Amino acid sequence: MSAPFPACVVRVDDEVHTLEGYQRGVPRWCTGCGDNAILAAVQRLCRDEQLAPERSVFVSGIGCSSRFPHYMNVYGFHGIHGRALPVAEGVKMARPDLHVFVSTGDGDCCSIGAAHWIHAIRYNMDITVVLHDNQVYGLTKMQVSPTSPQGLKTRTTPRGAHLEPLNPLTVTLGVSNVSFVAQAVDWIPELLHDIISLAFHHKGFSFVRVLQRCPEFMEGAFEPWVKDPSRTLLLVHKDGIELKPNLAKVYRNQEEHDPMNLHRAREIASSADPIPVGILYRNPDATRYEDVRKSERLYTADTTRAVLEKEFDKFTIWPAD
Amino acid sequence: MCDDAMSANLLDPTVSDQAVRRAADSRDESVMLDLHPAMLARYKELAKLRYDYPLVLSRGDIGGEIVQSLSGIVDSLLQQIAPDGIEGERVRKHVLALEREIRALAMAGTNGSLSRLWELAQSNLLARTDGGGRAALEDSLTRARTVLALDGEVIDCNGETPAELLKHVWDTVESDKARRFRNRVDRIILGLSEILKVDFMKSEDARKPERLKHSVGTAYENAFDFEAMSQLLGASSRKDTLPRKRRQRIDGVLTTLKSQRFFAPTLADAKHTSGAKSHSFIFESCTRALAAFEQRLPEMVELVKAITIAELELENRYRESAHDSFFDLFDQNSLRPEDVALFPSYLICMRDDGFNASERTQLIETLSSGLPIKVLLQSDDILEDLPIARGKFSFGKRASQVATTAVGLHSAFVLQASSSHLYPMRKQVVRGLQYDGPALFSVYSGACASAVHIPPYLVAAAATESRAFPAFTYDPAAGPDLASRFSIDANPQAQLAWPAYRLDYEDQEHQRISEDLNFTFADFVACDKRYSGCFAKVPRDQWHENLIPLAGLPVADSDARTDKVPYIPMVDGDNALQKLAVDDGLIGAARRCAELWRSLQELGGINSSHAQRLLAQEKELWQQQMEREVAALKARAEPEVKAPNVEQAPSAPTETSLAQPEAAAEAPTDEPYIETPRCTTCDECTQINNRMFAYDDNKQAYIADPDAGTYRQLVEAAESCQVAIIHPGKPRNPNEPNLDELIKRAEPFR
């Protein structure tokens, strides 16, 4: 049934957004960098959902991945190192009507920004976070990152990285009030898109770790997994991702995993080989900070002033008439 | 109760039925003075009984309990403070005594909040108690008072109850609506103000040194060179300010939103308003309400227009080419139902005394207008029209007829109830007031001047019990059909023609006797002293078998004379049972009342004649079908030789038929191609040749033109592709140099 006449007129000339419409400038990322795949997947999502550019914000910290907002033709905030999440939370708090995305890297999120990361998971605000994890500091020309594999020789670890890498999935799944955790890889673009799309539709803090290749400083690091589909464990479920036949034929290593099963999610997250891909955990009922802190009252500057005046008046001593 | 001998010998002991009738026709008005219908006898001392009234009208959200009964509140208190045991029993006794005292105060006409009446009742009780009991009483009441969390106006059942209750619920519904409106409009105002603020920040005025200095505050004003800051900001500021027309549009919208008078301004924006008083929405007649609506219509249109424009502006979707002309022509015809629903509804409180034909017509027109107008039509006397001819009762003609007519409009919410049933029907009252369209509340208060010897609550309840003023609701929003919309569930024993009750009493030998009786229209009329002439007391010695309860009379043949004499049971001042013969006029009226109730039952889905007729038809068809089947079975029982079944059994699926068609193996092709869905958008190939390789709508690579480059470029792209999805195929140009080497390199990508 068509909308009533006035609504038709009011909605006339609604814009249709194309994928190219979300592109701004030419990415400075290296050829072959996984960031390009993430950008394409996110732009597909924006096009499919017809997200209004003026109602979408991409916030980032520092690093290769954090150049992301520059290449999106929407609002962006290229912030300071490790502080993408608090900025994004502030945006969401002030403007809950906006779609807020965060692009952060393994250094930005898991090293200098780790404290903010932990609390952002617990706050569970409705934000889509993509962790671009190439396991190395690329922008500053190859230093060790918290997720670098043990033994990786970098400019800061010439004898090889000393410690076991931090696992962003197990860390996230260990924080109370976690609500959405997924993993994707940049070399299966269809799933990358599907997972980011599910993350976007989740109401809460949706955390997607994307394992991505860095052809410049981590050449061949994921080659065995790219070449051997059996080393990728696809998590399928009716409440998670459902594989199309073409992918199911190639990636036969699959597990039926209920995203509500936190215990199993933690076990799966611990696996580095095969690499799990899919939705590890999703709890739509987790408390969202913006909901519990939502004020019925709209605090405009005038309201704040009026309320303060009223409070001050309680303590004012008026001269006698 | 004791059925003592009758004080008056109205009839001769050998009297015939006709004589009883004559006696009934003699209209001895004095007999009704201290009589009550037998069913009401046990409620004589109403103040000592626990029932719904008085009600407490408390403030709160519309979803919560905003109308509560005092008994319910006390029960909830007792659950908290009176555990099982002696101590709890003591508290329970004291608090129930307080409840009784509050009820008595309310019945005596004491007004005020629950807290006020509580204090009054408590001091009355304490004043009447002395000694050790006083301290215990004070302790119980203090404990109960401590946990009493709510307060509100206490109302008893009287002539003011319908209006007080409806106004309270209306006020709560409208407060909720006002809160939502203010929230929406305040957000719009804030959003538009921010657009203007951003624009101002781009202006030269915003960058003037003194303004910059002011914005920094006094603490650090010496730390900056504001002249330099002003120049610096001026050099880098954006010049794309708001177009003049858009600014004017936003200014106009803000003025309209801030000056609206449909909702009271909030604390913050009170200073922006011109001081004009907000509109009032409570009226006493349809004429005034409609005139006010008409007069405010242009303001409504302007406000809706402003909100619509503002929301388009905030979403950045206002297109002057399309929207200007639309909003130029925006008028009352552009208002959609959801726009009208934004505004407060109009509440009209009127009584049906002196309600003339023209007002009735106007009320029906108002209810059919679709406008958000809520009408309370209160009746204080539904038997008011004294019969011109005998037995011509009005049956609440004015209010009831308007209510049943309004049901026929199909678009108005209609609720009919006596005051006694308003509390159990409070959720329906809320629904009616929340309904976006018109609503009619037809309420009988029970405060009838000619029934002063019975409390209004009992008169109102009797009106519903007797079907004289049945309760029903018609809710157009409840569903598409009558079954969803119309309900008579609130009536007592709605399945029956008259509600049944059991009367227990003692006879002269002190033996317990139980009788199953019905409460009829005549029982209700017996509450009204104006109609005492319709009854005649039958002496006990004439209680013979032909004296039967009125409900036992056949429904039809109202004029036919039978040998039965109908009576209604009543109780006199000495608590003695009396039987009163009912005159023919009233019998006829009772039959008409029963007919009206019967039609309401049908509307409510009870004993529907259509359904019953259909059921009978279906039953007959089913029986015929059964008979045919039985006959057929009998015929088949005779042995008959049948040819062997030569029907071909379905053949088992062969392996070939089960096998799914195998997807054609991807044979190596001579044409170059890319497995596009697997492309990771890494730019490797497009950087080699962006005419040969291009991205599709999903930003994934495909071969746009294989002839736009060399075979070498195809092979190099395949080698550099990190996910190895480029397949170069065979060379297209046989003259390209070093083909042999390239074909060898392309081999892994076949």
Side-chain angles (χ1 to χ4, degrees):
Chain A
M1 207 175 86
S2 60
F5 172 69
C8 289
V9 177
V10 166
R11 300 214 156 260
V12 80
D13 275 6
D14 271 357
E15 278 182 74
V16 175
H17 304 288
T18 61
L19 191 143
E20 292 74 30
Y22 291 101
Q23 176 71 44
R24 187 169 56 185
V26 179
R28 285 192 200 169
W29 292 314
C30 307
T31 305
C33 172
D35 287 335
N36 291 298
I38 300 173
L39 183 67
V42 169
Q43 287 175 344
R44 267 181 76 185
L45 168 82
C46 293
R47 188 266 322 266
D48 295 348
E49 299 294 334
Q50 285 295 296
L51 300 189
E54 69 275 13
R55 304 185 91 82
S56 309
V57 187
F58 282 76
V59 182
S60 66
I62 293 297
C64 291
S65 60
S66 294
R67 293 199 55 79
F68 203 95
H70 293 266
Y71 310 131
M72 289 297 298
N73 195 19
V74 301
Y75 282 111
F77 191 102
H78 189 171
I80 50 173
H81 206 5
R83 273 70 186 170
L85 289 169
V87 171
E89 287 166 327
V91 172
K92 190 70 190 178
M93 205 69 188
R95 289 289 303 274
D97 57 315
L98 300 184
H99 308 295
V100 182
F101 295 82
V102 169
S103 296
T104 181
D106 40 304
D108 192 54
C109 176
C110 308
S111 180
I112 188 170
H116 300 306
W117 171 38
I118 304 292
H119 291 287
I121 297 165
R122 190 169 68 92
Y123 274 45
N124 189 33
M125 297 180 69
D126 188 14
I127 297 170
T128 307
V129 181
V130 179
L131 168 65
H132 302 228
D133 189 357
N134 59 3
Q135 306 181 338
V136 72
Y137 280 44
L139 190 74
T140 46
K141 315 294 183 208
M142 202 180 184
Q143 290 83 24
V144 72
S145 101
T147 61
S148 297
Q150 192 172 26
L152 181 73
K153 289 187 178 174
T154 68
R155 296 186 205 284
T156 45
T157 53
R159 295 189 193 88
H162 305 289
L163 301 173
E164 283 280 325
L166 177 146
N167 182 336
L169 296 178
T170 54
V171 171
T172 309
L173 286 166
V175 177
S176 57
N177 209 35
V178 58
S179 78
F180 185 103
V181 182
Q183 179 157 271
V185 290
D186 80 295
W187 57 90
I188 314 179
E190 195 171 314
L191 289 186
L192 176 63
H193 166 262
D194 291 353
I195 290 168
I196 290 179
S197 179
L198 284 170
F200 170 75
H201 286 288
H202 173 74
K203 291 282 167 223
F205 187 85
S206 36
F207 181 81
V208 183
R209 179 203 195 191
V210 183
L211 288 171
Q212 64 166 94
R213 292 159 300 164
C214 173
E216 197 64 31
F217 301 115
M218 294 288 284
E219 192 179 0
F222 290 110
E223 205 64 14
W225 287 273
V226 174
K227 294 214 164 131
D228 182 0
S230 69
R231 294 180 70 176
T232 302
L233 174 66
L234 292 195
L235 307 175
V236 292
H237 194 268
K238 62 179 174 47
D239 294 331
I241 53 168
E242 291 180 287
L243 290 181
K244 292 197 182 84
N246 60 336
L247 271 179
K249 214 161 66 176
V250 178
Y251 294 94
R252 293 177 189 272
N253 187 6
Q254 299 169 14
E255 179 178 329
E256 184 82 9
H257 169 62
D258 180 358
M260 285 297 280
N261 186 345
L262 181 60
H263 182 66
R264 179 65 192 140
R266 285 175 176 154
E267 286 176 353
I268 296 170
S270 307
S271 164
D273 191 9
I275 292 174
V277 168
I279 312 300
L280 284 101
Y281 183 65
R282 175 166 59 187
N283 176 13
D285 300 325
T287 307
R288 288 183 291 272
Y289 185 72
E290 67 265 47
D291 290 348
V292 294
R293 291 299 310 276
K294 191 175 176 182
S295 168
E296 274 300 305
R297 193 177 212 166
L298 181 69
Y299 281 95
T300 62
D302 283 342
T303 317
T304 310
R305 198 170 296 124
V307 170
L308 281 175
E309 292 290 358
K310 198 176 165 194
E311 288 302 311
F312 293 152
D313 283 350
K314 291 181 185 171
F315 304 98
T316 304
I317 299 164
W318 300 102
D321 288 332
Chain B
M1 207 181 294
C2 180
D3 59 341
D4 291 343
M6 292 300 196
S7 56
N9 276 329
L10 192 67
L11 302 173
D12 187 86
T14 56
V15 75
S16 66
D17 298 333
Q18 284 74 22
V20 176
R21 286 186 196 287
R22 280 198 302 278
D25 289 350
S26 70
R27 298 177 179 275
D28 180 358
E29 300 190 5
S30 64
V31 301
M32 302 297 288
L33 289 178
D34 65 343
L35 291 177
H36 283 71
M39 193 183 83
L40 304 185
R42 67 182 69 169
Y43 307 115
K44 260 183 179 174
E45 293 188 73
L46 198 57
K48 291 184 178 170
L49 299 177
R50 303 191 80 209
Y51 63 107
D52 290 344
Y53 280 88
L55 300 177
V56 179
L57 309 179
S58 57
R59 293 277 157 207
D61 291 337
I62 193 64
E65 291 287 351
I66 52 168
V67 178
Q68 299 197 49
S69 85
L70 179 64
S71 300
I73 294 170
V74 168
D75 284 344
S76 146
L77 288 182
L78 290 177
Q79 272 188 354
Q80 297 175 62
I81 59 163
D84 288 343
I86 296 172
E87 176 71 3
E89 202 49 47
R90 188 257 300 174
V91 173
R92 184 170 292 110
K93 189 178 145 201
H94 288 152
V95 177
L96 289 176
L98 183 90
E99 180 191 329
R100 238 184 344 265
E101 186 67 24
I102 294 177
R103 180 168 289 115
L105 284 170
M107 284 182 84
T110 312
N111 295 322
S113 63
L114 177 59
S115 52
R116 177 172 174 262
L117 263 67
W118 183 294
E119 277 169 29
L120 271 176
Q122 183 167 344
S123 53
N124 289 352
L125 280 182
L126 288 172
R128 292 203 297 264
T129 315
D130 44 41
R134 190 186 165 92
L137 175 65
E138 196 160 14
D139 170 64
S140 302
L141 300 184
T142 308
R143 280 157 68 176
R145 185 72 183 85
T146 314
V147 292
L148 177 69
L150 61 88
D151 200 4
E153 199 66 16
V154 177
I155 60 164
D156 191 41
C157 188
N158 55 42
E160 307 306 318
T161 306
E164 284 176 342
L165 190 142
L166 215 72
K167 278 180 185 170
H168 172 71
V169 179
W170 178 84
D171 199 40
T172 313
V173 168
E174 294 307 326
S175 300
D176 184 58
K177 191 185 274 184
R179 192 164 52 245
R180 280 183 279 128
F181 177 89
R182 288 258 42 120
N183 200 293
R184 182 174 173 187
V185 167
D186 285 352
R187 280 176 203 283
I188 290 173
I189 291 174
L190 182 65
L192 292 180
S193 306
E194 282 178 354
I195 291 177
L196 296 181
K197 190 175 171 187
V198 168
D199 190 52
F200 172 75
M201 296 312 288
K202 293 175 188 169
S203 69
E204 282 186 23
D205 275 353
R207 297 190 300 270
K208 281 184 177 165
E210 50 277 21
R211 186 168 286 278
L212 295 172
K213 186 176 178 181
H214 180 70
S215 66
V216 166
T218 51
Y220 297 98
E221 63 181 9
N222 296 324
F224 296 97
D225 179 348
F226 292 103
E227 287 287 346
M229 187 188 282
S230 175
Q231 285 171 12
L232 203 63
L233 289 173
S236 64
S237 69
R238 293 179 64 164
K239 303 287 185 278
D240 51 345
T241 53
L242 279 185
R244 189 178 54 84
K245 203 172 161 194
R246 188 176 182 207
R247 166 173 276 283
Q248 281 175 347
R249 193 163 55 236
I250 292 176
D251 282 338
V253 163
L254 279 173
T255 308
T256 306
L257 294 179
K258 287 178 179 172
S259 61
Q260 64 81 25
R261 293 196 292 154
F262 291 94
F263 295 95
T266 55
L267 184 66
D269 59 11
K271 67 176 183 178
H272 299 301
T273 54
S274 54
K277 215 175 155 192
S278 298
H279 293 309
S280 163
F281 291 89
I282 298 183
F283 296 87
E284 287 175 355
S285 76
C286 292
T287 319
R288 286 184 186 167
L290 286 172
F293 184 86
E294 198 69 26
Q295 191 192 354
R296 296 166 192 177
L297 196 54
E299 278 181 64
M300 266 176 81
V301 171
E302 273 311 298
L303 188 51
V304 171
K305 182 175 158 183
I307 290 174
T308 316
I309 292 175
E311 287 181 341
L312 283 169
E313 285 289 358
L314 289 175
E315 289 177 21
N316 196 24
R317 285 175 43 229
Y318 193 98
R319 304 281 173 270
E320 289 179 355
S321 57
H323 292 136
D324 276 359
S325 56
F326 171 68
F327 286 111
D328 284 347
L329 299 173
F330 198 92
D331 61 11
Q332 63 194 72
N333 297 318
S334 310
L335 296 180
R336 297 165 299 167
E338 56 265 41
D339 296 328
V340 178
L342 276 177
F343 294 88
S345 61
Y346 291 64
L347 179 64
I348 304 169
C349 295
M350 55 204 292
R351 295 185 187 235
D352 73 350
D353 50 337
F355 188 60
N356 59 35
S358 85
E359 276 174 313
R360 184 161 62 225
T361 310
Q362 191 162 39
L363 174 55
I364 293 297
E365 278 177 13
T366 305
L367 292 171
S368 58
S369 66
L371 299 175
I373 294 182
K374 316 291 175 185
V375 182
L376 165 65
L377 183 58
Q378 180 177 332
S379 306
D380 295 328
D381 184 2
I382 53 171
L383 299 174
E384 61 172 330
D385 283 350
L386 288 172
I388 300 166
R390 289 182 61 200
K392 300 296 177 192
F393 286 87
S394 66
F395 299 111
K397 189 164 70 180
R398 290 167 184 155
S400 276
Q401 283 183 358
V402 172
T404 45
T405 310
V407 169
L409 297 174
H410 302 301
S411 58
F413 181 100
V414 184
L415 178 145
Q416 177 165 292
S418 296
S419 283
S420 56
H421 283 63
L422 281 178
Y423 178 69
M425 295 177 77
R426 60 196 184 281
K427 287 201 163 47
Q428 288 92 319
V429 173
V430 172
R431 270 219 305 279
L433 289 169
Q434 284 181 318
Y435 176 61
D436 287 342
L440 173 70
F441 301 88
S442 165
V443 182
Y444 173 51
S445 70
C448 177
S450 54
V452 283
H453 56 304
I454 303 177
Y457 175 79
L458 287 183
V459 177
T464 305
E465 292 276 344
S466 66
R467 320 300 192 199
F469 201 80
F472 65 81
T473 49
Y474 179 82
D475 181 359
D481 48 34
L482 199 59
S484 320
R485 294 179 168 194
F486 192 78
S487 169
I488 56 167
D489 293 348
N491 291 284
Q493 304 174 51
Q495 300 282 338
L496 303 179
W498 309 109
Y501 67 99
R502 173 157 289 187
L503 183 67
D504 296 321
Y505 60 96
E506 283 177 10
D507 63 8
Q508 284 173 308
E509 285 76 41
H510 300 293
Q511 295 301 304
R512 179 193 175 97
I513 296 181
S514 287
E515 266 190 85
D516 288 324
L517 295 166
N518 299 82
F519 194 78
T520 67
F521 177 70
D523 294 84
F524 171 62
V525 173
C527 299
D528 195 318
K529 65 183 181 190
R530 286 174 298 180
Y531 301 104
S532 52
C534 297
F535 303 92
K537 197 153 66 171
V538 183
R540 180 171 166 71
D541 53 4
Q542 293 177 25
W543 291 10
H544 53 73
E545 61 187 15
N546 278 347
L547 195 61
I548 61 161
L550 177 64
L553 273 189
V555 175
D557 300 324
S558 58
D559 293 331
R561 292 217 161 232
T562 68
D563 56 351
K564 306 291 183 195
V565 177
Y567 78 91
I568 59 164
M570 295 191 83
V571 174
D572 63 19
D574 297 328
N575 245 6
L577 180 70
Q578 306 284 4
K579 290 186 178 180
L580 281 92
V582 183
D583 83 348
D584 287 343
L586 186 51
I587 293 168
R591 281 190 166 124
R592 279 197 297 127
C593 180
E595 276 172 35
L596 289 172
W597 169 245
R598 165 109 188 102
S599 64
L600 267 189
Q601 277 183 316
E602 283 214 45
L603 276 179
I606 295 171
N607 301 329
S608 162
S609 54
H610 292 291
Q612 284 172 342
R613 193 175 297 172
L614 199 63
L615 188 67
Q617 281 175 6
E618 287 295 317
K619 204 172 171 182
E620 196 182 331
L621 285 173
W622 180 79
Q623 274 174 343
Q624 288 171 2
Q625 172 79 14
M626 285 297 107
E627 282 164 13
R628 276 200 299 274
E629 282 182 16
V630 169
L633 280 173
K634 278 182 184 167
R636 242 186 264 168
E638 293 170 14
E640 59 178 348
V641 181
K642 282 188 182 175
N645 192 348
V646 291
E647 225 175 10
Q648 183 73 45
S651 57
T654 61
E655 209 169 302
T656 328
S657 65
L658 278 177
Q660 295 292 322
E662 277 291 327
E666 284 175 19
T669 171
D670 292 347
E671 292 298 315
Y673 70 98
I674 293 181
E675 296 170 59
T676 302
R678 294 182 56 207
C679 168
T680 63
T681 324
C682 72
D683 291 346
E684 292 276 10
C685 58
T686 53
Q687 290 206 352
I688 289 171
N689 184 334
N690 61 8
R691 286 182 297 117
M692 179 183 266
F693 303 100
Y695 285 133
D696 67 5
D697 288 345
N698 288 335
K699 219 173 172 185
Q700 290 179 303
Y702 69 103
I703 295 182
D705 180 2
D707 298 321
T710 60
Y711 189 62
R712 174 174 293 280
Q713 285 176 318
L714 266 171
V715 174
E716 283 175 356
E719 287 173 335
S720 59
C721 176
Q722 302 200 17
V723 281
I725 56 167
I726 300 177
H727 305 277
K730 292 270 173 66
R732 299 170 70 86
N733 176 9
N735 300 323
E736 190 174 321
N738 301 325
L739 270 187
D740 288 344
E741 177 222 334
L742 292 172
I743 289 170
K744 205 172 168 187
R745 283 167 59 186
E747 198 58 37
F749 306 105
R750 294 274 292 165

